[in-house]
Amino acid sequence: MTYDLIIIGGGPIGMACAIEAKKAGLSYIVLEKGVLVNSIYNFPTNMTFFSTSNLLEIGGVPFIAHNDKPTRREALEYFRRVQESWGLRIQLYTEVLRMKRSGANYLLHTSKGDYEGRHVVVATGFYDTPRLLNVPGEELKKVKHFYDDPHPYVDQKVVVVGAANSACDVALETYYKGAEVTMVIREQEIYPKVKYWIRPNIENRIKEGSIKAYFNSRIVEIRPSEVVLDTPEGERIIANDFVLAMTGYMPNYKLFEQLGLPISDDEDKTPLHNPETLETPLPGVYVAGVINAGLQTSKLFIENTRVHAQIILAHMVSKDSVSA
Ligand SMILES: Cc1cc2nc3c(=O)[nH]c(=O)nc-3n(C[C@H](O)[C@H](O)[C@H](O)COP(=O)(O)OP(=O)(O)OC[C@H]3O[C@@H](n4cnc5c(N)ncnc54)[C@H](O)[C@@H]3O)c2cc1C
């Protein structure tokens, strides 16, 4: 069958688009390469959102959490309930690999066969592609770009790279579980926008020497049992068991290429789109959610992209009624 709309990505914003499509009476399907809200599922096990639960709500479904900031576990249950209560059509474990034109429609080639749609929303997030350190030794198994649980790091010498929310969470959590933690930070301070209840904690642990921090420094080489640092005082070689590179993530540009989505040639590398309608230069193909900010991954969140769903569907429906 030919769907009115195919949504790539079953994250919060892909789901919000599905809800709007359902409200508009369109035939739609969400294609998700992993589990429901796959990125959130892969967030650190004990993670707490910086947003309050009401700002993460979609489709008018109330998000009741135990505290004002919900946990990952509560978010997983919330989005499962949203899917259930709206009866959303989400095809899990179905990875979109390529897209091409098929007359006025688009043909999506996936790991589970082909799908054809009149319109497409790309809402693939940024949590699949880590920003690499690009240093020798990064390929060693002890180097992690995704963190889930502190237990593997008990009694281990851990280097945490970065100074934003994820790095601070990971440094504190592994320290409290008995790891010997060293932070390596490019800047001269902890990122000022770190969650307000985390920043004083990490700064005080650094001040008292419980967590060692090298500011204005970077890793230049990772070896099996040590790392080499470039610091303002010169080269330092420190003993090391694990490197947790919390250096951020970026959209999957290879996928954009396979979909035929053009990218801006400035440093943000955003998928080109009309900011009013979110339509890309491919007619009927839209981008939604955090990918719209390209490499500026701290600019867009769930809270300020939930509205993308209404914008896109309103444009899609009005365009259709004009051409009908
Ligand atoms: C640790 C962390 C904490 C965050 N905390 C907050 C917060 O407190 N508040 C907030 O508003 N934002 C937060 N964010 C930012 C952002 O809101 C989230 O990343 C959010 O998940 C983005 O929603 P999305 O729907 O745009 O993308 P995602 O949730 O990333 O969804 C994209 C989906 O697309 C799927 N996908 C990717 N490629 C394909 C493909 N080829 N085929 C099929 N499916 C594909 C992915 O598996 C994924 O499920 C946080 C981000 C991180 C990393």
Side-chain angles (χ1 to χ4, degrees), residues 210-281:
S210 310
I211 292 177
K212 174 130 183 92
Y214 288 94
F215 291 98
N216 299 307
S217 301
R218 53 189 193 98
I219 287 198
V220 288
E221 188 182 345
I222 304 169
R223 300 173 183 162
S225 56
E226 53 193 23
V227 294
V228 184
L229 307 181
D230 176 20
T231 80
E233 288 78 41
E235 183 182 278
R236 292 282 180 276
I237 299 180
I238 60 174
N240 171 260
D241 298 309
F242 287 98
V243 174
L244 304 177
M246 299 294 109
T247 42
Y249 303 90
M250 57 183 180
N252 183 345
Y253 286 102
K254 278 200 190 113
L255 175 66
F256 290 173
E257 233 176 271
Q258 296 301 321
L259 300 178
L261 288 184
I263 304 301
S264 70
D265 51 18
D266 58 15
E267 57 184 20
D268 292 353
K269 292 180 75 183
T270 48
L272 287 183
H273 62 277
N274 177 336
E276 305 285 312
T277 63
L278 309 185
E279 191 175 26
T280 69

Side-chain angles (χ1 to χ4, degrees), residues 8-13 31-33 38-40 43 47 49-51 56 94-96 123-128 166 255 289-290 301-303:
I8 312 177
I13 308 308
L31 302 176
E32 165 54 56
K33 76 179 171 122
N38 197 48
S39 300
I40 295 177
F43 283 178
M47 175 245 176
F49 281 80
F50 56 75
S51 304
L56 302 178
T94 306
E95 181 171 9
V96 174
T124 46
F126 60 64
Y127 201 57
D128 297 315
S166 295
L255 175 66
V290 294
F301 317 109
I302 299 170
E303 35 177 292

Side-chain angles (χ1 to χ4, degrees), residues 157-220:
K157 293 183 175 57
V158 170
V159 161
V160 177
V161 187
N165 272 313
S166 295
C168 295
D169 280 350
V170 167
L172 285 171
E173 195 174 69
T174 51
Y175 161 68
Y176 285 126
K177 294 292 177 191
E180 188 184 314
V181 179
T182 303
M183 294 183 81
V184 178
I185 298 168
R186 251 187 340 195
E187 299 77 17
Q188 59 185 17
E189 57 173 0
I190 292 292
Y191 180 54
K193 286 189 186 159
V194 163
K195 292 177 262 197
Y196 65 83
W197 65 97
I198 294 291
R199 193 163 177 223
N201 192 354
I202 189 80
E203 286 177 340
N204 286 332
R205 300 295 73 73
I206 292 171
K207 222 177 274 167
E208 73 190 18
S210 310
I211 292 177
K212 174 130 183 92
Y214 288 94
F215 291 98
N216 299 307
S217 301
R218 53 189 193 98
I219 287 198
V220 288

Side-chain angles (χ1 to χ4, degrees), residues 72-139:
R72 163 188 167 275
R73 181 172 285 280
E74 288 172 326
L76 290 179
E77 179 57 9
Y78 171 72
F79 288 109
R80 189 191 71 74
R81 292 294 291 272
V82 171
Q83 193 228 349
E84 192 177 69
S85 56
W86 277 94
L88 299 179
R89 225 188 134 160
I90 304 181
Q91 185 82 36
L92 300 173
Y93 302 105
T94 306
E95 181 171 9
V96 174
L97 304 169
R98 278 188 301 282
M99 180 169 85
K100 62 175 189 185
R101 289 304 286 260
S102 162
N105 299 335
Y106 292 91
L107 190 68
L108 276 67
H109 179 61
T110 81
S111 55
K112 293 206 177 146
D114 290 348
Y115 291 79
E116 186 161 332
R118 294 171 49 236
H119 304 92
V120 175
V121 170
V122 184
T124 46
F126 60 64
Y127 201 57
D128 297 315
T129 322
R131 286 176 198 253
L132 299 181
L133 300 168
N134 291 315
V135 297
E138 189 164 17
E139 70 291 348

Side-chain angles (χ1 to χ4, degrees), residues 64-76:
I64 313 294
H66 286 89
N67 296 302
D68 58 337
K69 314 282 185 183
T71 63
R72 163 188 167 275
R73 181 172 285 280
E74 288 172 326
L76 290 179

Side-chain angles (χ1 to χ4, degrees), residues 43-64:
F43 283 178
T45 316
N46 303 318
M47 175 245 176
T48 300
F49 281 80
F50 56 75
S51 304
T52 51
S53 54
N54 60 320
L55 292 176
L56 302 178
E57 286 173 359
I58 56 171
V61 179
F63 187 168
I64 313 294

